[in-house]
Amino acid sequence: EVQLVESGGGLVQPGGSLRLSCAASGFTFSDKWMHWVRQAPGEGLVWVSRLRGDGSDTTYVDSVRGRFTISRDNAKNTLYLQMTSLRAEDTAVYYCASESYYGLGVWGQGTTVTVSS
Amino acid sequence: DIQMTQSPSSLSASVGDRVTITCRASQDIRNYLAWYQQKPGKVPKLLIYVASTLQSGVPTRFSGSGSGTDFTLTISSLQPEDVATYYCQNYNRVPLVFGPGTKVDI
């Protein structure tokens, strides 16, 4: 079964850091572009970042560039999102997703990040 | 960056109705447009990619069309389980922006 399982969310103070993980199973992880998408409470979907299968190409939305870093460990079938200088507006459910045929075909269940003092 | 808009922002229809949602891109994205369904409290689900190709397992009452800047998602006969918010997404160039969503109620 194809599955993505996120972890690492929690409550963090403004200016703090957090690292999210996404464990993949059921497919050849290293073949897939992987993405992070977030959704603030009651709001729509926001694409955050993507990373090529071999780790050679990364892209970020402007609002997180320079603060967030996407990475992967293909030996562990795991995707990461290192988040620093967190702000209240980063509060959201963070989903990892794998790309298939020009769409995000598989999504994890999400992990919640709350930035508050 | 490419901006995505959707209309309407919400709609209410009856079971069996034909429902149409429109998505517009601020620049030509050819046919690199994806549609997602997110039911209340659930994870988003890919419905359609490259504007008109149905993802495996998606009911055939869903269809997509369009190219360039104007796209449409159609539900041919609305069912109770289709209550959800529907999002389009530019898949032509980064950032892969989502539209603001269309909430469909019965």
Side-chain angles (χ1 to χ4, degrees):
Chain A
E1 180 192 4
V2 175
Q3 194 172 16
L4 297 172
V5 179
E6 301 95 333
S7 60
L11 175 63
V12 60
Q13 292 187 339
S17 299
L18 211 55
R19 189 177 83 157
L20 307 183
S21 299
C22 170
S25 59
F27 64 99
T28 306
F29 180 68
S30 59
D31 284 351
K32 297 288 190 181
W33 285 82
M34 294 296 296
H35 300 246
W36 288 99
V37 175
R38 70 184 182 184
Q39 186 169 34
E43 301 295 321
L45 302 173
V46 175
W47 178 84
V48 173
S49 181
R50 75 171 183 179
L51 177 61
R52 191 185 182 114
D54 62 5
S56 64
D57 186 358
T58 62
T59 317
Y60 301 91
V61 70
D62 283 349
S63 58
V64 309
R65 187 176 296 115
R67 300 188 299 123
F68 290 12
T69 302
I70 189 172
S71 63
R72 65 196 297 160
D73 185 335
N74 286 343
K76 295 182 178 180
N77 288 344
T78 303
L79 177 74
Y80 303 100
L81 186 67
Q82 178 69 49
M83 305 185 294
T84 64
S85 302
L86 282 161
R87 307 166 180 167
E89 55 265 35
D90 296 317
T91 294
V93 175
Y94 284 73
Y95 298 101
C96 67
S98 66
E99 180 172 311
S100 60
Y101 302 115
Y102 302 102
L104 302 179
V106 179
W107 296 63
Q109 84 288 350
T111 188
T112 301
V113 173
T114 303
V115 183
S116 175
S117 55
Chain B
D1 293 353
I2 294 171
Q3 307 301 317
M4 306 298 291
T5 57
Q6 288 182 234
S7 61
S9 57
S10 65
L11 67 89
S12 184
S14 300
V15 173
D17 281 356
R18 183 181 184 88
V19 169
T20 298
I21 298 168
T22 297
C23 174
R24 178 163 289 174
S26 61
Q27 301 174 35
D28 184 350
I29 59 170
R30 296 195 284 171
N31 67 335
Y32 294 112
L33 191 282
W35 287 99
Y36 301 86
Q37 174 193 62
Q38 187 177 32
K39 296 182 179 181
K42 300 298 185 183
V43 175
K45 172 187 173 183
L46 177 65
L47 293 179
I48 288 169
Y49 56 94
V50 291
S52 61
T53 301
L54 214 60
Q55 174 76 336
S56 176
V58 173
T60 55
R61 63 180 179 274
F62 291 92
S63 64
S65 64
S67 66
T69 60
D70 294 314
F71 302 87
T72 299
L73 173 69
T74 300
I75 309 173
S76 61
S77 177
L78 188 68
Q79 299 301 306
E81 60 266 33
D82 299 335
V83 169
T85 300
Y86 293 85
Y87 297 91
C88 61
Q89 183 191 25
N90 150 50
Y91 226 88
N92 185 51
R93 67 187 75 159
V94 290
L96 305 180
V97 175
F98 288 91
T102 296
K103 187 175 181 181
V104 174
D105 279 325
I106 290 179

